[in-house]
Amino acid sequence: MGTDCGCGCGGDATRTSAFVRPRFFAGQLLTEDDLGLLVDYVTAKSRLHNRSLSGPGVVRGLGVTCDPCGGGTVAVHPGHAFDCAGNDIVVSCTERVDVRALVRERRVSGLGVDCGDPCDDDGERRYGLFVRYQELSVDPVAPYATEEPCPTPGCVPSRIREGYRFLVKHGVFEDHRHNPGTTLLANLGSLERADEARARDRRLGHYVDAMFAASVSTGRTIGFEAADNKRFTDGLDWLRQNAGGEGPPPPQTVPEMTDHVRALASAVARFDTYDAAGQAQLKKDYPRLAEVQDARGVLGAACGRLKGADMGAAWPDPLRRTIARAVVTETAARVVPERGDPDAQLEVRMLAQGTPLGHALQVEFRADLALMREWLLGRLDHATGLADCALRPYVAAIDVPPRLPAPPADSVERTTIADLLRIAEAAEKLSLAVRRFVTDAACATLNPPCDDCTDTDVLLAEVELDGCDVVRICSATREQVLPGGSAYGEWLPKLYRLRELAERVCCQPLPSHRRPDLPAAGPVSRPYADGLLADWPRTGDLEEMLSLLLTPAPGETPPKVLHEQVYTTPSEVTDSMQELGMLRTQVADLTAVLEGLRVQLDASRTQMSRLEEQVPERLGSRLAELESAPREQEAEPAEPPAGEPAEPSAAKPPAAKRSRSPRTQKPGETP
């Protein structure tokens, strides 16, 4: 079976080369095809070098200035330029260009009719003055007679003269310069959706280790150390001074109050994971813990005020707003009661690490995982130039838990270890996948693309006309050939820094996540999640690389944003998908139960088969004795109910005795 491998399937190319040069040898009959092939080869190689090593634009000269005589003409001075096809455009002497005539020519060619003098238009107009490469066949000669049956009649041009012509254009002009950020945006797609997926990845990153630790350490204490005692003391003192009063707090104080509630609730939750003896020892080691009951009351009052606060004004970011609500809801449900919530060990251990996980936040995490996986698969289908070949099957194989419907307000429904582990494992894998994809997309920008040449005209200047007179000329925006070409010249100010970062980011081993290493016995030492409610800064070599690519330097062309259509799923479809996900979960549970019952039924059938094989041997003799006994026995009539006369009844037929298998009589047994 044949396979199309592109331009080559191994070491040798399977397609015809783009360049073929003639090979001469002694005694060869040379024809016009051989000599023409040599000219074509040299010309094509020269053009390739021009467009690849230099790129389109002005090499030198070709300045455009006002004509000494004024009017609608300009002066184009000598110079050299390359067009995007690699053709050399050489102006050897100063040319007087009639812009007015070029505007008229443009109108006639565009409309097909002559609509009069363009000078009749009022107002100022801006045009781009371009130079275009063209070839002219010149110097015709009469060919000698040949033996061809149909010789070429008349004279044939013997030379190709390379020339140029000037023209004007109106509107947006094509810019061949390439910004590396354009390639990055083509792979990332919409920056809004990319930032949305990466923001959810950062939020899940604060919770992954905490979820693994809470799942594994169920029934064990979360260590209470000196740093936790400091948070307990500072949080309690601050809330006593600032959390009192009636009514909700103002939005400007809500973030600080919520953060102190989280810190104090974490310390109290760690205290609650100890047994009575452990709590007594903690109070001896840290005397301020004697006020733990007062701390519960202070937390209850603070949560009561925060429930009525304007969370939208205090937390403009919806991702952190949900965490802030979880702080209030989980603190009030798990810590404020006198003895905590012993039935919610997972939730208490999550709160002890400073990462409260309420029902509403768990629902959002499931939706975040689905969004991240969908975004990754969509971008991997459209991105080009990526080098992580195993990433797409890795993402497709990630098991994302189904979405859940939106919970009621202040829901305190508890989660299970299985659900928590499923969320943590999916978040761990998707976080690595997002990092791998963004790294691959950033590294793919370091190679300039090979763009198709669709417009070979070279911009010389922009001219402004007032009536028939040229009033202003601007040559500053035209493309200028730089070392490495205009496509590469945009990178010169940042190229060395990008290369330095690429050495540390690209072509490195794939990233991995190391789960928390918990001790086999004793209290579990877990850090407190600092900065959970603060801004999440983007740091590291990869973030610096992305910022350098997407932030235009002074004078740099901005990266071209990819405009893609985003399809919004109606709410009815979303709700139906959530219900379908719940039904699938229930069906999976019922299938597991039925499978267990089927296994038990098969085992029972096996036991019955064994009993049936053993019964005839053990009961054979006894069955023979029973069969020889009298077979007729009168059944005694049943007594009528109280208060009812007895009715005569017909004699019942003798009951048939149940046959039994013979059994061997044991020694000493009475028959």
Side-chain angles (χ1 to χ4, degrees), residues 557-578:
T557 58
K560 300 176 182 178
V561 180
L562 176 67
H563 297 284
E564 59 181 11
Q565 188 173 1
V566 179
Y567 298 93
T568 304
T569 305
S571 59
E572 296 83 358
V573 177
T574 304
D575 296 340
S576 301
M577 291 176 63
Q578 293 176 354

Side-chain angles (χ1 to χ4, degrees), residues 372-623:
M372 291 166 58
R373 184 175 183 272
E374 179 183 358
W375 176 74
L376 278 173
L377 291 177
R379 295 318 313 161
L380 288 171
D381 286 341
H382 293 86
T384 58
L386 300 183
D388 196 342
C389 307
L391 182 56
R392 197 189 190 289
Y394 174 82
V395 176
I398 297 177
D399 180 23
V400 174
R403 300 189 183 192
L404 296 178
D410 299 333
S411 173
V412 292
E413 181 178 343
R414 294 188 291 270
T415 187
T416 63
I417 295 179
D419 289 339
L420 194 63
L421 277 176
R422 194 174 180 187
I423 294 174
E425 290 172 354
E428 176 189 39
K429 295 177 181 178
L430 282 173
S431 179
L432 293 176
V434 169
R435 196 185 317 169
R436 287 171 58 179
F437 172 72
V438 176
T439 301
D440 202 10
C443 296
T445 64
L446 298 182
N447 295 317
C450 185
D451 295 330
D452 295 332
C453 178
T454 57
D455 186 359
T456 60
D457 300 332
V458 178
L459 176 66
L460 298 180
E462 294 186 24
V463 294
E464 186 175 325
L465 278 72
D466 186 4
C468 286
D469 297 332
V470 176
V471 295
R472 195 162 179 264
I473 302 172
C474 178
S475 301
T477 58
R478 68 184 185 182
E479 293 178 291
Q480 197 77 27
V481 173
L482 298 172
S486 60
Y488 208 68
E490 285 268 320
W491 302 3
L492 291 180
K494 58 180 69 171
L495 177 62
Y496 294 105
R497 181 57 180 166
L498 281 174
R499 287 294 182 186
E500 179 185 355
L501 294 171
E503 290 179 359
R504 300 197 295 264
V505 173
C506 307
C507 303
Q508 298 298 320
L510 294 178
S512 60
H513 177 260
R514 184 176 180 180
R515 297 184 181 181
D517 187 11
L518 304 180
V524 177
S525 179
R526 286 295 301 156
Y528 177 78
D530 288 319
L532 182 63
L533 295 175
D535 293 333
W536 301 326
R538 298 182 178 181
T539 57
D541 293 335
L542 177 59
E543 295 299 337
E544 183 180 354
M545 192 173 181
L546 295 176
S547 176
L548 195 61
L549 287 168
L550 296 177
T551 304
E556 181 183 348
T557 58
K560 300 176 182 178
V561 180
L562 176 67
H563 297 284
E564 59 181 11
Q565 188 173 1
V566 179
Y567 298 93
T568 304
T569 305
S571 59
E572 296 83 358
V573 177
T574 304
D575 296 340
S576 301
M577 291 176 63
Q578 293 176 354
E579 294 176 0
L580 181 61
M582 296 178 63
L583 290 175
R584 286 178 177 172
T585 303
Q586 295 175 2
V587 169
D589 296 339
L590 291 175
T591 303
V593 173
L594 289 176
E595 187 64 26
L597 293 176
R598 186 179 295 108
V599 173
Q600 296 178 4
L601 181 59
D602 293 340
S604 300
R605 288 176 177 173
T606 303
Q607 294 177 1
M608 289 296 296
S609 300
R610 294 177 180 175
L611 290 175
E612 289 177 354
E613 294 175 356
Q614 298 174 1
V615 163
E617 299 177 359
R618 300 172 58 186
L619 301 180
S621 60
R622 181 61 177 169
L623 180 60

Side-chain angles (χ1 to χ4, degrees), residues 72-421:
T73 59
V74 295
V76 178
H77 297 274
H80 180 205
F82 296 140
D83 66 9
C84 65
N87 295 305
D88 290 276
I89 303 175
V90 180
V91 178
S92 56
C93 60
T94 302
E95 296 273 4
R96 294 186 62 199
V97 180
D98 190 345
V99 179
R100 176 181 55 186
L102 294 178
V103 172
R104 184 186 185 95
E105 178 185 351
R106 176 180 176 274
R107 289 191 173 186
V108 172
S109 61
L111 299 176
V113 294
D114 189 352
C115 296
D117 194 342
C119 298
D120 296 337
D121 296 340
D122 296 331
E124 297 181 352
R125 292 158 294 158
R126 295 180 65 88
Y127 294 92
L129 176 62
F130 290 79
V131 62
R132 175 181 296 175
Y133 172 83
Q134 67 177 11
E135 295 179 348
L136 299 176
S137 300
V138 297
D139 296 343
V141 296
Y144 289 100
T146 63
E147 297 180 356
E148 295 293 335
C150 298
T152 304
C155 296
V156 179
S158 62
R159 302 288 185 269
I160 299 295
R161 178 182 298 167
E162 297 183 349
Y164 55 86
R165 65 182 300 265
F166 298 99
L167 67 155
V168 295
K169 294 182 181 180
H170 186 70
V172 180
F173 313 127
E174 182 178 359
D175 192 346
H176 297 92
R177 289 175 293 179
H178 173 72
N179 190 301
T182 301
T183 303
L184 179 62
L185 291 176
N187 288 331
L188 295 181
S190 169
L191 269 184
E192 182 179 356
R193 297 191 66 189
D195 288 341
E196 183 181 8
R198 298 187 67 209
R200 280 155 174 74
D201 172 47
R202 286 195 300 275
R203 181 171 70 169
L204 284 167
H206 288 87
Y207 275 80
V208 171
D209 286 347
M211 288 189 286
F212 279 125
S215 302
V216 176
S217 65
T218 304
R220 298 173 60 185
T221 58
I222 304 294
F224 192 98
E225 301 173 352
D228 304 301
N229 181 63
K230 185 176 187 307
R231 278 190 293 272
F232 177 87
T233 303
D234 295 344
L236 181 58
D237 293 342
W238 192 94
L239 290 175
R240 279 176 173 172
Q241 297 176 4
N242 302 277
E246 299 294 335
Q252 59 269 20
T253 62
V254 169
E256 187 176 5
M257 181 183 295
T258 306
D259 210 20
H260 281 289
V261 167
R262 185 173 71 96
L264 181 57
S266 171
V268 177
R270 289 174 184 253
F271 176 83
D272 288 343
T273 61
Y274 285 77
D275 57 12
Q279 292 179 356
Q281 183 62 41
L282 285 177
K283 290 181 180 179
K284 291 181 180 179
D285 297 338
Y286 306 105
R288 286 295 302 270
L289 287 179
E291 305 176 46
V292 67
Q293 295 304 326
D294 294 340
R296 298 183 195 275
V298 172
L299 285 173
C303 291
R305 294 191 64 194
L306 288 173
K307 284 184 179 180
D310 187 357
M311 288 293 188
W315 307 97
D317 181 10
L319 301 184
R320 287 184 292 161
R321 186 189 313 150
T322 309
I323 298 178
R325 288 174 176 166
V327 169
V328 177
T329 303
E330 291 297 295
T331 299
R334 318 300 179 192
V335 171
V336 171
E338 183 177 354
R339 296 184 179 180
D341 191 352
D343 296 330
Q345 295 189 17
L346 287 176
E347 286 73 12
V348 171
R349 278 159 176 74
M350 290 297 296
L351 190 59
Q353 300 173 79
T355 52
L357 182 63
H359 187 201
L361 192 54
Q362 182 193 161
V363 172
E364 282 199 11
F365 281 174
R366 289 171 175 258
D368 293 347
L369 294 172
L371 182 145
M372 291 166 58
R373 184 175 183 272
E374 179 183 358
W375 176 74
L376 278 173
L377 291 177
R379 295 318 313 161
L380 288 171
D381 286 341
H382 293 86
T384 58
L386 300 183
D388 196 342
C389 307
L391 182 56
R392 197 189 190 289
Y394 174 82
V395 176
I398 297 177
D399 180 23
V400 174
R403 300 189 183 192
L404 296 178
D410 299 333
S411 173
V412 292
E413 181 178 343
R414 294 188 291 270
T415 187
T416 63
I417 295 179
D419 289 339
L420 194 63
L421 277 176

